[in-house]
Amino acid sequence: MNNEVEFLTIEVEAEMKLPYYPEGIRAGFPSPATDYEEEAIDLNRELIRHREATFYARVKGDSMIDAGIHPGDLLIVDRALEPKHGDIVVAFVGGEEDGFTIKELDLSERERGRVWLVPHNSAYERIQITPEQSSVIWGVVTYCIHSSLRHG
Amino acid sequence: MYALVDCDNCYVSCERVFNPRLEGKAVVVLSNNDGCVVARSPEAKALGVPEGLPFYQLAERFPGKEIHVLSSNYTLYGDMSARVMSLLRASAPDIFIYSIDEAFLTLPESEYVYFNPKTWGETLAAKVKRWTGMPVSIGVAPTKTLAKVASKFAKRYPGYRKCCVIDNDERRKKALSLFPIADVWGIGRRTANRLEAAGIRTALDFTRLSAESVRNAMTITGLRTWMELHGRDCITLDHLPRKQAICTSRSFPKMQTTREELAVPLSSFAARCAAKLRHEHSMAQYVTVFISTNPFRDDLAQSSINHTVALPAPASSDPEITAAALKALDACFREGFQWKRAAVIVSGTVPEDELQTSFLDIPVELKMKHTKLSAVADKVNKRLGDETLLLACAMRATDLETGKATTFRDSILHARRSPFYTTEIRDIIEVL
């Protein structure tokens, strides 16, 4: 692989984190607030179970609107989870109009070799996915973040 | 025992995760400024696209072929690599990251009966593929050089299920008899030619030479490779290049002639090096500037020069590193050349906390100000994008209409770059 610059020196963060002192280290009495610095709710910690396998996606269509998934919503996608029957998944569907899609996974006919992607909107048809069209289940949607503000 | 984990066609594989329609197609990734081919999918290799091919020759040499061409997206590759390395570290804590797409892991000895390296490797490769989308090949062997050999077999033959283990003499000899000497880790192109001319074609042929003759012909480095191929572990991590220096280098879209023209990109490179130093909590003692002309332009005067400046005390702030880089530029700059490429290298790195104890004779107040300023710049740039806050010397001009500064980054060509799928919220994938 070409050593072109930037990542010549990449080093993933070590497991053990060292404390960082943006104010510099000073002698004397420390600020009483420093003890509480770590205590904040971190949504990364709450919503992300597998950091390395987590990716984000933006909903563009309305095919899942009856499941409460709206255009503009932010999805947290976890590729580490084994996709199960009934999961909401992001899939890549090959063929003529290829692209990423969000649907409910239907494995009830898996025995007969059929895997379905089911929309939650009566205006859409379910999609059968086949390995021949190089379609894949890309990841399992763990959270859908929807803004409830009515005005921007 | 060592495991070498190697990402298969790293850059192309990163692109395919977010653009699965590239699966099975010929794909190439270009260097910075869309100069030449730096990465190829197996399909592109099969078409005969050579590494390093200038982009403009691609259409001429492969007319009518469907080849997908992408600018490099190092932000994406770096993030995907970090994900892979993090999973590797969790599977074997003793890890040495050798490059963006390769890492050596230290495994328990083969006599340790509760550990089956073949199962471990297959499971790990499958996990990395499922979690990150990155296909990896794993070679396990008693030496690093043999682990490299094994990883090539794991990559080439699907039957290995992404993990090949060389753990006995029979397997070792069989593998080496099928392995071209030119592909052995540590054997350079010129050495390989010399060996092939002498009838030594495979790694096994090479191991049949006597230790004395290898030592005489190829020095201690060649002898180490010879011993490693015999299964004797002797390349320690000290022999491998370590992170002591940080380098930022680019070629320019247009050639530069004046000192002022060079000062803008060099200031930008210096700030980038400084940010990398701060990221890993270290400071540098030396700053080197390197500039060179275009070696492919025989019609122009050629030059390649560098100059190193020692800092009064270890530093990692933008102002200190940039000032040193510009001082180095002034010391070595010469008129009359068309400069094509430049680099800033910071070296002699020390951990930043050492500063507090060993350099008490420097103006501490000023140092603290620089450190605070840089911390603020890092925060702003993290939130609002790289080079939102920068030193004025890294600015080429200010757009009078928008009031926005144009910088060296704006002039880099990356017409075919994919979005920053994993690191920019506006670039995440869209689903219907």
Side-chain angles (χ1 to χ4, degrees):
Chain A
M1 188 68 43
N2 175 295
N3 281 338
E4 189 101 70
V5 299
E6 298 259 40
F7 297 102
L8 196 73
T9 56
I10 191 158
E11 174 77 42
V12 186
E13 229 174 294
E15 283 300 318
M16 192 197 296
K17 286 196 178 151
L18 298 172
Y20 175 52
Y21 303 99
E23 301 299 314
I25 299 172
R26 279 185 209 161
F29 196 74
S31 156
T34 25
D35 283 350
Y36 300 95
E37 264 172 18
E38 295 299 310
E39 293 181 25
I41 293 169
D42 180 358
L43 283 183
N44 285 321
R45 210 165 55 197
E46 300 304 319
L47 304 185
I48 295 174
R49 218 195 310 166
H50 306 110
R51 197 165 46 88
E52 299 90 348
T54 298
F55 298 88
Y56 298 97
R58 182 76 65 189
V59 180
K60 280 284 147 180
D62 59 0
S63 68
M64 292 297 280
I65 202 125
D66 292 342
I69 299 169
H70 299 78
D73 288 357
L74 178 69
L75 304 173
I76 302 181
V77 185
D78 189 338
R79 293 178 51 108
L81 300 173
E82 180 78 48
K84 295 201 182 70
H85 177 69
D87 279 349
I88 306 290
V89 297
V90 165
F92 181 84
V93 179
E96 283 287 288
E97 288 170 37
D98 61 357
F100 286 108
T101 184
I102 173 171
K103 296 286 180 287
E104 185 186 320
L105 182 65
D106 180 352
L107 296 176
S108 59
E109 295 179 30
R110 183 155 58 171
E111 250 66 307
R112 280 175 276 166
R114 284 185 218 140
V115 173
W116 295 95
L117 295 174
V118 183
H120 280 235
N121 179 339
S122 53
Y124 291 81
E125 299 285 317
R126 63 177 185 170
I127 304 166
Q128 187 180 2
I129 60 167
T130 59
E132 297 84 67
Q133 332 165 292
S134 62
S135 299
V136 285
I137 308 295
W138 198 84
V140 174
V141 177
T142 49
Y143 291 92
C144 168
I145 300 171
H146 174 75
S147 168
S148 45
L149 291 174
R150 278 157 194 253
H151 311 286
Chain B
M1 296 270 278
Y2 295 100
L4 185 271
V5 185
D6 188 11
C7 299
D8 300 348
N9 312 295
C10 180
Y11 296 178
V12 172
S13 296
C14 289
E15 299 285 353
R16 282 175 169 168
V17 172
F18 301 95
N19 193 353
R21 57 179 71 81
L22 296 176
E23 213 64 62
K25 308 263 173 68
V27 183
V28 300
V29 176
L30 303 175
S31 61
N32 267 313
N33 279 321
D34 292 349
C36 56
V37 172
V38 292
R40 302 160 294 157
S41 73
E43 298 80 7
K45 286 176 191 166
L47 283 177
V49 179
E51 180 151 24
L53 181 74
F55 174 37
Y56 70 89
Q57 288 182 15
L58 197 59
E60 283 169 30
R61 298 235 336 234
F62 301 92
K65 292 277 188 290
E66 186 195 353
I67 301 175
H68 297 260
V69 182
L70 295 162
S71 303
S72 41
N73 184 345
Y74 288 111
T75 307
L76 175 66
Y77 312 151
D79 180 68
M80 292 297 281
S81 167
R83 288 165 186 260
V84 172
M85 297 306 172
S86 176
L87 289 179
L88 300 187
R89 177 174 280 123
S91 78
D94 190 357
I95 176 173
F96 178 81
I97 298 171
Y98 185 57
S99 69
I100 189 171
D101 57 355
E102 281 175 289
F104 286 104
L105 310 178
T106 309
L107 301 182
E109 287 313 313
S110 52
E111 303 87 67
Y112 188 71
V113 289
Y114 299 107
F115 178 74
N116 180 333
K118 177 78 174 142
T119 320
W120 170 87
E122 286 181 12
T123 312
L124 179 61
K127 179 180 176 181
V128 171
K129 176 77 168 84
R130 192 168 92 195
W131 284 43
T132 68
M134 177 69 74
V136 296
S137 300
I138 302 177
V140 179
T143 73
K144 297 186 187 70
T145 309
L146 285 171
K148 275 266 199 185
V149 170
S151 77
K152 294 284 194 297
F153 281 95
K155 187 180 216 164
R156 207 168 302 156
Y157 303 105
Y160 284 111
R161 300 162 54 89
K162 308 304 284 176
C163 178
C164 170
V165 179
I166 299 177
D167 57 356
N168 63 43
D169 224 41
E170 190 190 338
R171 281 186 189 156
R172 183 182 66 85
K173 284 188 176 142
K174 175 90 176 119
L176 295 186
S177 72
L178 295 167
F179 205 76
I181 185 67
D183 293 349
V184 172
W185 189 44
I187 302 281
R189 187 64 255 173
R190 215 176 296 169
T191 310
N193 287 344
R194 236 170 55 210
L195 289 168
E196 280 163 4
I200 296 146
R201 294 206 168 72
T202 69
L204 190 67
D205 297 340
F206 179 65
T207 59
R208 288 188 177 131
L209 298 172
S210 74
E212 287 74 38
S213 62
V214 170
R215 205 207 156 99
N216 291 339
M218 298 169 59
T219 75
I220 185 70
T221 322
L223 186 64
R224 276 202 199 104
T225 302
W226 182 88
M227 293 204 286
E228 286 248 321
L229 289 173
H230 275 279
R232 269 185 282 160
D233 181 19
C234 62
I235 295 182
T236 69
L237 296 180
D238 299 335
H239 297 126
L240 302 174
R242 273 251 163 201
K243 175 159 55 176
Q244 283 149 351
I246 291 172
C247 169
T248 302
S249 95
R250 293 279 191 285
S251 58
F252 306 129
K254 269 190 274 172
M255 288 190 269
Q256 314 276 302
T257 51
T258 67
R259 185 241 169 230
E260 281 63 40
E261 280 177 323
L262 285 173
V264 174
L266 285 173
S267 301
S268 164
F269 300 172
R272 192 157 268 274
C273 287
K276 288 180 195 167
L277 283 169
R278 295 194 295 272
H279 181 71
E280 59 184 50
H281 301 289
S282 54
M283 290 185 157
Q285 303 182 72
Y286 305 98
V287 178
T288 303
V289 156
F290 167 88
I291 52 176
S292 65
T293 52
N294 186 348
F296 301 115
R297 290 289 300 268
D298 313 340
D299 54 324
L300 299 174
Q302 294 291 318
S303 180
S304 173
I305 47 182
N306 65 76
H307 189 81
T308 301
V309 165
L311 291 156
S316 65
S317 75
D318 287 4
E320 289 165 292
I321 302 290
T322 308
L326 294 179
K327 203 168 141 192
L329 173 65
D330 288 335
C332 67
F333 178 75
R334 278 182 289 154
E335 298 280 354
F337 293 96
Q338 305 262 323
W339 304 105
K340 178 63 183 165
R341 192 172 186 84
V344 172
I345 300 147
V346 293
S347 56
T349 53
V350 294
E352 67 184 3
D353 50 12
E354 272 180 24
L355 185 76
Q356 281 143 351
T357 51
S358 40
F359 298 95
L360 293 171
D361 50 339
I362 55 161
V364 178
E365 282 300 308
L366 182 65
K367 197 100 192 155
M368 290 296 278
K369 276 186 186 165
H370 281 151
T371 305
K372 275 187 186 171
L373 177 68
S374 297
V376 170
D378 287 346
K379 270 189 195 158
V380 170
N381 291 335
K382 197 171 177 196
R383 277 184 60 176
L384 301 174
D386 266 359
E387 294 201 331
T388 301
L389 206 56
L390 75 171
L391 295 178
C393 52
M395 261 162 49
R396 192 182 294 277
T398 305
D399 188 316
L400 292 174
E401 275 178 28
T402 62
K404 196 178 164 6
T406 60
T407 65
F408 173 71
R409 265 165 79 91
D410 299 323
S411 68
I412 300 179
L413 302 174
H414 40 64
R416 297 149 181 272
R417 189 180 64 204
S418 54
F420 297 132
Y421 296 109
T422 58
T423 53
E424 292 278 353
I425 194 81
R426 60 166 191 274
D427 280 359
I428 60 179
I429 60 167
E430 295 178 345
V431 299
L432 283 169

